[in-house]
Amino acid sequence: MDLKEYLQLILAVILIFLLVYLPFANYARSIYLKSVFSGKQTRLNEGEIQLGEGKNTVVLSPQKIVYVQSEGNYLDIFCLAANTEITKITVRSTLSGLQQILETDFPSFKRVHRSYLVNMNFYHKLITEKGNTQIQLKVNDEYFTFPVSRKYKSVIKEIL
């Protein structure tokens, strides 16, 4: 095999790679992302969602969720327990995946920051000082304050 035939063979292999493998890889990636964003959070009965996976699966009533804080690929979900205290549940998931489910079925949930999703049913007041905006939630006699980023400020002010 001379150099010209060898280069033609390499070019053909690269062309096949570009035409066959890359579209398949993009399709497989999109399927994977859909499973990450929707597979770990599913709706069970009316008013319940399932979070997490495997032995770390948690079934929650969204009405009891006060707020959700993102910590990388983990979510800290703060919700009301039976004794009206706030408990923290940690699951492996993304905030945007949970946001899609909650905002669709439960419109009281709003994203206020890249790390926070809050239940507006517990809304107390909006605080603006020196150009910084914060939202305050009230649960029983406890107050929780969260930053509101510029990206989400207009959405929050629109609903208030």
Side-chain angles (χ1 to χ4, degrees):
M1 189 185 273
D2 66 349
L3 181 62
K4 183 179 178 182
E5 290 174 342
Y6 183 72
L7 290 175
Q8 286 176 340
L9 180 64
I10 290 175
L11 184 62
V13 169
I14 291 172
L15 188 61
I16 289 172
F17 175 79
L18 292 174
L19 293 175
V20 176
Y21 177 76
L22 289 181
F24 174 76
N26 285 336
Y27 173 73
R29 183 175 184 270
S30 71
I31 296 295
Y32 169 75
L33 289 176
K34 285 179 186 175
S35 72
V36 166
F37 288 128
S38 64
K40 292 182 183 176
Q41 299 94 3
T42 56
R43 208 158 161 220
L44 299 175
N45 299 326
E46 189 67 33
E48 288 183 340
I49 57 171
Q50 177 179 332
L51 301 167
E53 60 184 18
K55 63 182 178 181
N56 298 326
T57 301
V58 177
V59 177
L60 292 173
S61 171
Q63 292 83 3
K64 293 187 177 191
I65 297 174
V66 178
Y67 69 96
V68 181
Q69 180 178 2
S70 173
E71 298 276 339
N73 287 331
Y74 290 90
L75 298 178
D76 291 331
I77 302 169
F78 295 85
C79 53
L80 289 171
N83 58 0
T84 67
E85 289 184 13
I86 296 197
T87 60
K88 178 175 119 175
I89 299 168
T90 302
V91 295
R92 182 171 167 81
S93 188
T94 62
L95 191 59
S96 53
L98 180 60
Q99 177 186 1
Q100 286 178 340
I101 290 174
L102 289 177
E103 284 186 344
T104 302
D105 297 334
F106 304 96
S108 64
F109 285 91
K110 298 296 175 196
R111 184 97 173 243
V112 296
H113 188 271
R114 70 179 179 160
S115 300
Y116 295 102
L117 185 67
V118 299
N119 187 343
M120 295 300 284
N121 289 335
F122 297 101
Y123 170 78
H124 178 64
K125 67 180 177 178
L126 197 63
I127 304 166
T128 304
E129 293 178 357
K130 299 179 183 175
N132 293 329
T133 305
Q134 296 179 323
I135 191 165
Q136 192 173 65
L137 305 181
K138 182 180 179 183
V139 181
N140 302 323
D141 292 329
E142 235 180 310
Y143 295 94
F144 301 93
T145 305
F146 307 97
V148 177
S149 66
R150 285 178 281 167
K151 180 178 179 179
Y152 299 106
K153 188 186 296 187
S154 61
V155 174
I156 298 302
K157 287 188 175 184
E158 188 177 290
I159 62 170
L160 296 178

